[in-house]
Amino acid sequence: MEQRIGPSIPPLQGAAADPAFVPGITGPRPAEPDAAKPREPEDAVSEETASDDPATKEEQEPSAEDAPDEGPEDAEEADEAEAAPAPDGGPVFEASDRRAKVVADHSGVRLRLDDQEAEFRWDEIGAVETESPRFGKRFTLTVHTPDRRWYPLEIEAKSRSDFKEWEADLDKVLDAYFEEAEEAEESAP
């Protein structure tokens, strides 16, 4: 008979064996199948086979009616278009540095770090927490959701005096919109 000496260690379950077990971590997207990709119609005329007659040229050149409407050309203009003012002219909190940006307004809270963005409506937010360090200039804003997840974002301030201004502006927004969302939840049957 064979016996083991030492503790009996059960096999590892969950994150140690399968990274997809950890909530919030998603795997890579599967590649798009060929059927989902747009295909050219079979009767389309290629550039090589097109002749120089005007009827063929008219078919190839898109007209002004067929051209899609172009939106703002600059990313900054698109950001300004997204951050539309509140319908009632309510308070808006906005803070940013070279990498991160946070906007809190009537629609909710938007966090952006480099090319990643997260948007939360007021009914999706459980709490908003801020932290100002004793030393340094990194202001931390954390959005907590009811399902026990949190999303922190650090913003580097130009000076430490910005912290008080940011906290006061954020308090105005939270008082105006976060309270309204809580009251709407309580009144709903």
Side-chain angles (χ1 to χ4, degrees), residues 22-186:
V22 178
I25 296 179
T26 58
R29 288 183 146 179
E32 289 185 15
D34 291 336
K37 293 181 182 175
R39 294 193 288 178
E40 284 188 33
E42 293 176 8
D43 60 343
V45 178
S46 68
E47 292 179 21
E48 300 163 358
T49 60
S51 64
D52 290 334
D53 72 66
T56 309
K57 285 186 178 179
E58 286 178 11
E59 290 176 7
Q60 290 178 356
E61 295 176 9
S63 65
E65 297 169 0
D66 297 339
D69 294 335
E70 293 185 20
E73 294 176 13
D74 231 358
E76 292 177 11
E77 291 177 13
D79 289 340
E80 291 173 6
E82 284 179 4
D88 60 349
V92 175
F93 168 71
E94 187 172 338
S96 64
D97 64 5
R98 60 186 168 80
R99 294 185 60 206
K101 181 177 182 178
V102 61
V103 177
D105 57 11
H106 67 284
S107 62
V109 178
R110 287 181 299 283
L111 307 175
R112 181 181 300 160
L113 180 64
D114 295 330
D115 62 344
Q116 303 295 314
E117 187 170 338
E119 185 169 344
F120 304 94
R121 295 185 319 265
W122 287 112
D123 60 343
E124 297 174 325
I125 298 174
V128 176
E129 177 184 15
T130 59
E131 184 180 346
S132 302
R134 274 183 91 174
F135 305 105
K137 297 189 273 184
R138 290 196 179 262
F139 181 78
T140 304
L141 184 124
T142 306
V143 175
H144 295 270
T145 60
D147 58 348
R148 297 183 187 173
R149 301 203 183 193
W150 60 93
Y151 302 88
L153 182 72
E154 287 186 343
I155 301 172
E156 190 169 337
K158 293 177 184 171
S159 69
R160 291 186 49 82
S161 62
D162 289 342
F163 294 160
K164 289 181 183 177
E165 180 184 335
W166 287 350
E167 293 218 12
D169 291 345
L170 183 62
D171 283 341
K172 290 177 188 174
V173 172
L174 293 174
D175 289 343
Y177 302 117
F178 190 60
E179 299 295 326
E180 290 176 5
E182 285 181 350
E183 291 172 5
E185 280 183 14
E186 290 174 4

